[in-house]
Amino acid sequence: MKPGSIAFRLSLLLAAFSVFAAALASHYTFVTSRSLLRERAEHYLMTTTEVLGRHLQSSLQAVSRNAVTLAALAAAQGALEEHAGEPVRRTLAQAFAAEMDSHPDYLQIRLISAGAHGLEQVRVQRQPTGLQRVLDAELQEKGHFPYVFEALPLPAGQVYMSELAATRDEALAGGGDLPSYTLSAPVVHNGHALGVVVIQVAARPFLQGVSADLPDGFQLYMSNRWGDWLMHPDPSQTFGFDRGQRVFIQDSFPDAARLINGQSQQLVTSVNESGGEPVVAAFVRLPIGSEPEQRFWVLGLAQPVSAIEGEASVLGRSIVQVLLLLCVAALVLAVLVSRVVTEPLKALAQATRVLGTGQRVQALPIERTDEIGELARSFQLMEEQVWQQMTQLRTSHNAMDHLAHHDALTGLPNRRMVEARLAQALQRAEHTQRPCAVLFVDLDHFKNINDGLGHDVGDAVLRGVAQRLSQALRVGDMVGRLGGDEFVVVCQDLGGEEDATQLALKLKAQFDQPLLIEGLPVQIQASIGIAMAPRDGTEVRALLTRADMGMYRAKQNGRNTYSFS
């Protein structure tokens, strides 16, 4: 082929056009794919933040339920009535201590009367040496605190929640600078509030528990309704208001001011925090406390921009490699100028369009041994890499979805899924007119296993219990784990109370034989509370509460037994 000839000039023109077209298509594919990856990553970040927010609210609701349950127990035992004596208060103190044993983040639980200027009647507190009941001479008047006078007007079943603040009581475990919050529930008898049950919770263990299951690479943030940091990757930024300095979320993330002033409920923003690596952050506004108070927390997750766009870089390198191969193929095609070469080129162009639409490429001339075949195989490799990356994203999303509905230790449904399944069972019971039951299973003396044999053995025991309970269920029933050593069994289509009793006996029989943990036999016993629908209620939370009360009654009856609510 002579320079200056038509063939030569046509070859140059075809080669230049092919290279230009390949570069343009590659650039468009890269820009479009990078934008899609960025949008998907931001959506995943926001979804993860919302899931974490629901987990946080669920944890707060669990503490609220405990406060309501203890208030109901105090009302049922008449602990604040005039005839109540020391035996009643001692029994209630034992119940408080048992609750604090199950929740190491609880600092103290108190029963405060409405009269006598809010005099404490029972107080159990966590000290460095262990749990201690405060003697009558050391009980104090607390009527001037908001958790007393704001909780008393509330109806039964509702709670008051304080802001997070530093604890100033040096006698408590953790010292005087331990951040905590307080929840209180009224003790109502015959429509009158006789007092309140108050639970004080250490904030840091609670917040660390909320973020314990976050994947690597995520940064967790949380602020109060004024913007003061409650959680931050730099611990020195948190709880500044208790040290005489205010460190606000608006200083690091200016757009977060829209959440603080109520202009938005969620946002995704990008900033260079403290002059460091750019990050992408997703924030949601989480209401807390009662609605009239309009209090809230701001919860957020952040990732470095480099982590989010890392897959785009890999995709860019793959596109550059393919572009180089396309340039080589364009030169070959320009020289040959034949139908044998142009047809595969059309096939590759068609494959590029198909890949741009998100579909799999079906037919490529990979069997060829020339440059076109090499180009086709490289294109196929790029396609596999893109699909592999998209599959990894979907897998990560599915894993987060599974984490949102299942317990990470046992694989059983978590509280959220249990409540959804119980709601379905209640609808079915209403339709079929056949009752359903909730069995609340709580392991007896499980703390002794953790303390004596270690938490690894305790975790193995929980997995073993989950397996045994699952094996004992009928088809259509479900067992879930609420947390700690608490399990819930939802049974439907029962004939009556006798069927529920048989189910409880069947579950109890699962604990007759000890569990073998690393060759070591571990004997487990459980107390079971039973609530029936519609007899004990037709609402999810009401049934769970009644079943929980039945479980406590079983423990009071000597443990290793069952009791109806």
Side-chain angles (χ1 to χ4, degrees), residues 167-285:
T167 301
R168 302 304 179 186
D169 193 345
E170 297 290 344
L172 296 179
D177 292 326
L178 182 66
S180 66
Y181 65 93
T182 302
L183 287 93
S184 55
V187 179
V188 179
H189 181 69
N190 292 332
H192 298 285
L194 304 180
V196 294
V197 168
V198 181
I199 301 179
Q200 186 177 10
V201 186
R204 284 200 178 100
F206 169 76
L207 297 176
Q208 291 170 356
V210 171
S211 60
D213 296 327
L214 281 179
D216 294 336
F218 283 85
Q219 301 172 356
L220 181 62
Y221 299 89
M222 192 167 76
S223 78
N224 59 21
R225 55 176 165 167
W226 296 286
D228 299 286
W229 285 119
L230 304 178
M231 289 200 72
H232 192 282
D234 181 5
S236 64
Q237 302 290 314
T238 61
F239 295 98
F241 52 87
D242 281 325
R243 301 189 301 271
Q245 61 184 25
R246 306 296 295 272
V247 184
F248 296 107
I249 185 175
Q250 304 94 310
D251 297 336
S252 301
F253 300 92
D255 289 344
R258 293 159 48 197
L259 297 174
I260 300 299
N261 58 31
Q263 293 178 343
S264 177
Q265 298 299 313
Q266 60 183 32
L267 67 87
V268 177
T269 183
S270 301
V271 298
N272 290 350
E273 187 181 13
S274 300
E277 183 180 7
V279 298
V280 176
F283 292 95
V284 295
R285 176 177 165 132

